[in-house]
Amino acid sequence: MPTEADSLSPSPSIPADTDRPAPGRWRQVSLLGGLLSVDNGESSVVSVLFPALRTALGLPLAALGALTSVSKLVAVFLGPLWVLVAQRYPRKTVLAVCSGLWGVWTMACGLAQNYVQLLLLFTIAAAGVAGGGPLANGLLADLFDDGTRGRASSYLYGLAAIGVGVSGPLLGQLADTEDGWRYGFFAAGALQVVAGTLVLLFLRDPGVGAAEPQLGANTHPSVRERDLTWARIRELLRNRTLLVICGQRLFTGQFVLLAFGVTFLVEERGFSNAAASTITLPVAVAYIAGTLLGGVVTDRLHRRNPRTGRIRVMQCVLFAYVAMAAVTTQIAWSSPAVYFLLFALVAAVQSALPGINRPLMMAAVLPELRSAAFALMLSVEAAGWAVTTLCVGFIGDAFGLRTAFLWFVVVLTSIGALLITLLYRTYPRDAAAVQAALDRRSATAATL
């Protein structure tokens, strides 16, 4: 909780749902969404084409867990570092480089001749992608006020899902092509470079805190923007809402199901690699629909109940996900169409989360600390993801993916859903503290 805000109002204040912030902001989100849709291109190639990659290089199932986990472990350290770099250089430039132009390393993955080379190049490629999430979410918070951040976050991640939905089936068609996985890496990296170039040329950074009604784009810079120092980072680590959300992200298994989904259908349910990869299309469509609908619904519930509206929705979504994941992975269905439907429903439920937890974080953290907060959250999430995927790879080799999913998707996510209960106490106080701090800055700005 911000130390400069000791006077707490009863509940977080909700700015009016207006279009006051930066003109063309939805166009800016489109650029950010396009970048996020391709900035995990190397992971998409591995998750979709791993059966073909496994055959070509003679890899065990545990290699999929290792490749996925190493990219997440790199993000634990590199995500915060990119945020610090963005303190010295323009945010959009850093974002374009780390999340876009860095795609040359994704292309280099296609040149790997053995597992060691692939692992090394894959790690380097993932090092750049680590900065995309924190910086994009920080920019999003400065483009939209609290009343529209749920919708904006949903739009951002909905656009990101479009890339997955389109690329998945296309990558799957490379499964039966000689060295098709190499072409997958080449194409994914090229798209990252193109997206990074577009961000560099056309994205406009509104400035830190530009969407806050107390500050605004015209507020004196000495009040509106503050450097990220170690003292401020220590202050951030005392934010209880951030710590609870980080705890929940540590116990999340949703990403494991997506990473191993195609392999699960091939090895456990007898699909061909090409047929299994087509599941990414209905998953992406459902994800986009669930994302957009979830953001709109969550914003409305938040305006009706700003203290706990988003928290209640988040907990319901997590428990619904647990139920759907259990039905999808623990029961052997006879029809492929059933799996397509179930995976789509799982994606639709999961997709509501960015429109809930991102605005929660933005409301409970001061503007200049938001990118750092997202870097911390995504680092913790990456660490949990890394450990979980490693465990799923080894448990999957020993006992099968069905057993691994039971413990590391169904049970683990249930624990995370229970942790969210703590937010009912922490979030209203932290969000009110932020508003009190911004009110004091607004009073200070009026005297300058």
Side-chain angles (χ1 to χ4, degrees), residues 52-416:
L53 184 61
R54 182 181 185 181
T55 300
L57 298 182
L59 306 179
L61 179 60
L64 175 56
L67 287 167
T68 304
S69 63
V70 74
S71 67
K72 302 310 168 188
L73 286 174
V74 167
V76 172
F77 304 101
L78 271 297
L81 181 60
W82 284 115
V83 171
L84 291 176
V85 172
Q87 289 284 307
R88 288 182 166 270
Y89 302 97
R91 278 192 296 182
K92 81 165 189 177
T93 301
V94 176
L95 179 63
V97 170
C98 72
S99 200
L101 303 183
W102 204 269
V104 293
W105 289 104
T106 298
M107 289 188 278
C109 289
L111 301 176
Q113 299 300 310
N114 54 54
Y115 178 56
V116 174
Q117 291 180 9
L118 176 62
L119 185 62
L120 176 61
L121 292 169
F122 193 81
T123 302
I124 297 174
V129 173
L135 295 177
N137 280 285
L139 281 161
L140 188 77
D142 296 326
L143 287 166
F144 294 86
D145 58 38
D146 190 52
T148 55
R149 282 174 184 155
R151 222 179 336 144
S153 296
S154 295
Y155 183 42
L156 176 69
Y157 285 92
L159 287 173
I162 292 177
V164 176
V166 172
S167 66
L170 293 177
L171 288 172
Q173 301 310 306
L174 296 174
D176 298 326
T177 303
E178 185 178 0
D179 288 334
W181 61 274
R182 297 185 187 277
Y183 301 132
F185 279 122
F186 296 153
L191 287 174
Q192 286 176 272
V193 172
V194 171
T197 302
L198 292 175
V199 165
L200 191 62
L201 293 176
F202 300 111
L203 183 69
R204 292 188 305 128
D205 187 340
V208 176
E212 303 301 333
Q214 300 96 325
L215 304 181
N218 297 321
T219 304
H220 195 281
S222 64
V223 174
R224 190 161 61 88
E225 299 187 18
R226 300 187 177 190
D227 290 336
L228 181 64
T229 63
W230 288 113
R232 308 226 75 201
I233 292 176
R234 289 193 296 271
E235 175 184 332
L236 180 65
L237 293 176
R238 294 194 292 270
N239 187 298
R240 295 165 300 174
T241 296
L242 171 61
L243 295 178
V244 172
I245 293 178
C246 285
Q248 184 269 322
R249 302 311 286 172
L250 188 64
F251 292 98
T252 182
Q254 298 103 295
F255 306 109
V256 174
L257 186 54
L258 294 179
F260 285 83
V262 172
T263 302
F264 169 77
L265 292 176
V266 171
E267 301 209 347
E268 296 280 343
R269 301 298 185 244
F271 283 59
S272 68
N273 193 171
S277 66
T278 60
I279 202 172
T280 58
L281 182 57
V283 163
V285 172
Y287 194 99
I288 295 166
T291 297
L292 298 178
L293 181 61
V296 172
V297 172
T298 303
D299 275 347
R300 289 181 179 177
L301 291 175
H302 176 61
R303 286 194 289 271
R304 293 180 182 177
N305 186 352
R307 292 179 63 88
T308 61
R310 282 176 176 150
I311 304 170
R312 290 177 181 175
V313 176
M314 186 175 181
Q315 205 162 34
C316 289
V317 166
L318 285 170
F319 281 122
Y321 178 87
V322 168
M324 290 302 308
V327 171
T328 303
T329 63
Q330 302 305 303
I331 301 175
W333 301 96
S334 59
S335 172
V338 174
Y339 283 105
F340 281 34
L341 175 62
L342 289 176
F343 270 98
L345 291 175
V346 166
V349 174
Q350 179 184 343
S351 65
L353 288 173
I356 306 170
N357 57 25
R358 267 60 172 180
L360 273 171
M361 287 268 290
M362 294 171 188
V365 177
L366 289 168
E368 67 274 12
L369 297 178
R370 284 171 183 155
S371 288
F374 280 112
L376 177 61
M377 184 195 82
L378 295 174
S379 293
V380 171
E381 176 184 285
W385 192 350
V387 173
T388 302
T389 49
L390 274 176
C391 292
V392 168
F394 288 117
I395 298 298
D397 265 338
F399 302 103
L401 282 175
R402 177 177 175 273
T403 300
F405 284 163
L406 173 63
W407 291 102
F408 293 101
V409 177
V410 177
V411 174
L412 196 67
T413 305
S414 298
I415 296 173

